[in-house]
Amino acid sequence: MDDKLREAFDQIKAENELKQKTKDFIMEKTRGYTRVKLVNYRRFASAFVCIALLLMGGRWLYFTPTVEISIDINPSIELGVNRFDRVVSLESYNDDGKSLVDSLNVKFMNYSDAVNQIIESEDIVSLLSNDEVMTIAVIGWETEQFEEIFSTMQSCTVGKRNVYCYSAQGEEVEDAHKAGLSYGKYKAFLEVQELDPNITVSEIQHMTMREIRELIDELSQNGEKERGSSDQEKGRLPYGNRNRRRQGRGNGRMNAGGIGSQE
């Protein structure tokens, strides 16, 4: 009888120990799975952050202009070109410019194709046929891309009447934008202002490039007349007349450069 009771209690004790070991085993495994899941989640979160930063950085690289192209005739617009030679921004600087921008579909195009589409658009062709003047300014820093775009723009203007191309440094465009002008028109405004300090940005903004060039010529001629009158009042000949007097001592012929020659 005692032996049977002892065996029964030993069996109960063995079952309790087995249950505890089983419970400990399960708890250990459960915690292990939790740690693995936590580690995997952290790795996933880190990977997500890296991908997000990569996408944000790529977006910044793509949508940041590295070169700007200012096109002025009376519509005044500027194209922002990214490092991949794609047009990523298109800005207008007067009402005619806004109308032209609204009629264009050049965003994300290669800059050369975009400029050709603008030059060959109906409005621009009509203006140029009426003897208007167009300027194309390539603005940026001395980089290989800048030089290549400037060279391409020069090629685009070859053989086109009244279309002129030039380059400018990137920092110069900031003052133009602060004044509310495209760079091409701002450059013309500075030329006029040197001749007439009373000229205002608002007066220039709505003028065509031909009207601005004609104004510059008119102011320049008036300035020369005023200088000539001042010289004559002082008993001196203006510079041009002094040249003609010196040329009169020779045979009176002029070479291609307009300089008197003697034999």
Side-chain angles (χ1 to χ4, degrees):
M1 182 67 177
D2 292 337
D3 291 338
K4 289 183 178 180
L5 287 172
R6 189 180 298 109
E7 288 177 3
F9 280 116
D10 288 342
Q11 187 176 359
I12 292 170
K13 182 179 179 182
E15 288 178 357
N16 289 336
E17 289 179 355
L18 180 60
K19 289 179 180 179
Q20 186 61 44
K21 287 182 179 179
T22 302
K23 183 179 179 181
D24 292 342
F25 176 79
I26 292 173
M27 288 296 292
E28 181 181 352
K29 289 300 181 181
T30 303
R31 287 195 298 269
Y33 292 148
T34 304
R35 287 196 295 270
V36 171
K37 289 180 181 178
L38 181 60
V39 170
N40 287 341
Y41 174 76
R42 288 174 178 171
R43 288 178 180 174
F44 177 77
S46 299
F48 178 79
V49 170
C50 290
I51 293 171
L53 290 174
L54 183 62
L55 291 174
M56 289 174 64
R59 180 180 174 85
W60 178 82
L61 285 174
Y62 189 88
F63 285 98
T64 299
T66 51
V67 175
E68 291 181 283
I69 302 175
S70 178
I71 301 176
D72 296 273
I73 182 164
N74 184 29
S76 291
I77 63 174
E78 282 185 1
L79 284 64
V81 181
N82 69 7
R83 64 192 70 245
F84 307 107
D85 293 339
R86 297 287 169 174
V87 176
V88 292
S89 65
L90 191 60
E91 300 291 339
S92 60
Y93 287 89
N94 56 17
D95 292 339
D96 288 340
K98 186 178 185 306
S99 297
L100 179 60
V101 166
D102 290 342
S103 70
L104 297 172
N105 186 24
V106 298
K107 205 166 184 181
F108 307 124
M109 289 178 61
N110 178 277
Y111 72 88
S112 179
D113 296 333
V115 172
N116 280 329
Q117 187 179 125
I118 293 168
I119 292 177
E120 294 170 6
S121 67
E122 184 178 349
D123 290 343
I124 299 302
V125 170
S126 176
L127 288 167
L128 289 174
S129 66
N130 288 327
D131 213 27
E132 291 291 348
V133 174
M134 171 185 280
T135 63
I136 299 177
V138 179
I139 308 133
W141 288 264
E142 298 297 333
T143 63
E144 183 177 343
Q145 184 197 27
F146 172 76
E147 297 295 341
E148 181 180 342
I149 291 178
F150 179 51
S151 177
T152 302
M153 291 300 97
Q154 286 181 310
S155 300
C156 287
T157 59
V158 170
K160 293 189 180 296
R161 188 165 174 263
N162 292 337
V163 180
Y164 306 94
C165 182
Y166 60 93
S167 64
Q169 293 301 300
E171 58 270 13
E172 297 179 33
V173 78
E174 294 180 7
D175 291 335
H177 292 172
K178 287 178 182 177
L181 297 174
S182 64
Y183 179 77
K185 190 158 282 190
Y186 182 72
K187 184 175 183 294
F189 163 71
L190 293 180
E191 290 184 54
V192 175
Q193 199 175 49
E194 285 185 3
L195 298 168
D196 181 5
N198 296 319
I199 200 76
T200 64
V201 168
S202 59
E203 291 177 277
I204 291 294
Q205 192 168 27
H206 302 290
M207 296 175 68
T208 68
M209 294 303 288
R210 170 160 290 284
E211 288 172 339
I212 295 172
R213 298 313 310 176
E214 290 174 348
L215 177 60
I216 290 172
D217 291 341
E218 180 183 345
L219 292 172
S220 298
Q221 291 173 5
N222 291 341
E224 289 177 1
K225 289 178 181 178
E226 289 176 2
R227 285 193 296 273
S229 299
S230 177
D231 287 338
Q232 288 178 348
E233 288 173 2
K234 294 177 182 178
R236 300 196 305 269
L237 287 170
Y239 180 74
N241 289 337
R242 292 204 301 272
N243 278 347
R244 284 194 288 272
R245 175 169 286 188
R246 284 199 299 270
Q247 293 162 7
R249 296 193 187 108
N251 58 15
R253 293 191 305 172
M254 298 286 288
N255 63 17
I259 302 173
S261 59
Q262 298 179 5
E263 293 182 353

